Amino acid sequence: MEGVNGKKVGHLFENISSFVRQCIFSVLSVGPVPSHIAFIMDGNRRYSKKQNLIDGNGHRAGFSALINMLKYCYELGVKYITVYAFSIDNFKRRPEEVVSLMKLMQEKIDELTKEESIVNRLGIRIYFQGNLKLLSDHVRSAAERAMVKTSGNSKAVLSICVAYTSTDEIVHAVQESCEEKWDEIRKLDANNDGGNLIRLEENVKDKDEHQIGVTNVDRHMYMSVCPDPDIIIRTSGAARLSNFLLWQSAHCLLYSPAALWPEIGLRHLIWVILDFQRNYLYLKEKKKQS
């Protein structure tokens, strides 16, 4: 009987919380709403120590925080959400910790793609961004399955950066841009009766078309599926990007609450949205000038 009453109280509390959020978000929606918010989920291990939790439970609490933030962003109308889940540098941690995190990641990826999961209920498409070759076979397969299973969802996009650093992303994009240009040159060369590259240069009206520019590199970035972030939120009070979205963050708002990632809540999101709206015209003007 107590269990039934507990469920009723839980449902009532959720309904009240949902109504309050709707009221708050309807007010916030009068102003500009960011289309893309990115999160550096910092502080899971410190939260675990702070709460005297056993290994892994800090990251489990962090996953719950991610689900809540995903729901809040969706309700507010944010189309793109990106999270920094695992850096390439994180592979340098103790081997047993890396193995434990990979197992937990696989478990949570599978949980995200269940039919009744929040991702499918809200129609959110998942992308995994990064050097996925560095992941274990099981985790990489789980990530690939998740991308396929959610490919039909179109209401919002969740990008999960794993085995990721921004410098690796930039190098990857430059390499692919170079390969693309060389392929174009070879095809033009072949269509030019086998003429050499020097003769090809003389015959091309606009030599600049064979130079690699920002748009070429931008097209080959892992994050090309999303617009640049409007806001990057890093929890735990650290004011650094840690090699995350360096290419894309030139004109976005940075916010670093003192809360550890599992402690992040609705009030933090409301505060940063208000700050974004206060600075919106300035940020918009900066983007125009770039």
Side-chain angles (χ1 to χ4, degrees):
M1 191 70 178
E2 288 181 6
V4 173
N5 288 335
K7 285 184 179 179
K8 286 182 178 178
V9 171
H11 284 308
L12 178 62
F13 179 76
E14 175 55 33
N15 289 336
I16 293 171
S17 298
S18 179
F19 174 73
V20 171
R21 287 199 307 273
Q22 287 176 19
C23 293
I24 293 170
F25 291 159
S26 64
V27 173
L28 288 176
S29 296
V30 173
V33 173
S35 65
H36 184 181
I37 300 179
F39 297 91
I40 301 176
M41 303 185 294
D42 192 19
N44 290 317
R45 291 190 297 175
R46 273 170 284 173
Y47 179 82
S48 187
K49 290 179 181 177
K50 180 179 175 182
Q51 301 294 330
N52 294 315
L53 302 176
I54 61 173
D55 288 346
N57 280 359
H59 288 88
R60 291 181 187 278
F63 180 76
S64 296
L66 169 61
I67 295 301
N68 287 333
M69 200 52 58
L70 196 60
K71 179 170 61 178
Y72 300 156
C73 287
Y74 177 86
E75 290 175 353
L76 180 59
V78 179
K79 173 76 173 177
Y80 299 94
I81 304 99
T82 298
V83 295
Y84 200 7
F86 197 85
S87 162
I88 290 176
D89 295 331
N90 290 151
F91 285 110
K92 298 174 184 176
R93 293 180 179 178
R94 291 179 294 111
E96 57 270 26
E97 183 181 356
V98 173
V99 170
S100 176
L101 288 173
M102 287 295 111
K103 286 181 180 178
L104 180 60
M105 189 179 297
Q106 182 184 348
E107 174 192 325
K108 294 307 178 184
I109 291 171
D110 290 335
E111 194 174 314
L112 275 177
T113 54
K114 288 180 180 177
E115 190 174 342
E116 69 278 10
S117 72
I118 187 173
V119 164
N120 287 316
R121 281 192 286 111
L122 300 182
I124 299 172
R125 182 171 186 172
I126 297 177
Y127 287 98
F128 284 86
Q129 313 289 10
N131 192 346
L132 302 187
K133 300 191 299 292
L134 298 177
L135 298 174
S136 66
D137 291 341
H138 293 302
V139 176
R140 186 170 61 253
S141 295
E144 290 169 351
R145 285 197 304 272
M147 288 190 281
V148 171
K149 284 183 178 180
T150 63
S151 60
N153 295 344
S154 59
K155 292 184 178 178
V157 172
L158 170 63
S159 293
I160 303 174
C161 294
V162 292
Y164 173 94
T165 61
S166 192
T167 46
D168 175 75
E169 179 185 28
I170 293 167
V171 168
H172 160 82
V174 171
Q175 288 173 340
E176 287 210 340
S177 298
C178 290
E179 289 170 7
E180 181 182 61
K181 283 298 178 183
W182 273 113
D183 286 342
E184 290 176 7
I185 290 171
R186 289 188 191 103
K187 286 176 183 177
L188 286 171
D189 192 30
N191 293 332
N192 203 38
D193 297 323
N196 57 38
L197 291 179
I198 294 175
R199 198 171 81 193
L200 174 64
E201 272 196 337
E202 293 173 349
N203 291 336
V204 174
K205 292 181 180 179
D206 187 3
K207 295 179 184 179
D208 289 342
E209 71 182 40
H210 292 304
Q211 295 178 357
I212 295 173
V214 171
T215 54
N216 302 108
V217 177
D218 199 47
R219 191 170 64 251
H220 290 286
M221 301 293 275
Y222 295 137
M223 293 296 297
S224 61
V225 298
C226 303
D228 290 348
D230 298 295
I231 304 169
I232 293 180
I233 300 174
R234 177 178 184 144
T235 49
S236 81
R240 59 184 186 276
L241 290 176
S242 293
N243 215 341
F244 179 58
L245 302 186
L246 302 181
W247 180 271
Q248 299 88 351
S249 59
H251 304 293
C252 76
L253 183 69
L254 303 178
Y255 176 53
S256 186
L260 303 175
W261 174 251
E263 298 170 336
I264 193 170
L266 179 62
R267 70 185 186 279
H268 301 103
L269 183 63
I270 292 171
W271 176 260
V272 75
I273 297 300
L274 290 171
D275 195 28
F276 170 77
Q277 292 178 341
R278 186 166 59 248
N279 290 282
Y280 178 73
L281 292 177
Y282 173 77
L283 293 169
K284 187 176 180 181
E285 186 61 30
K286 283 293 182 183
K287 283 184 180 180
K288 282 183 180 179
Q289 293 173 4
S290 64

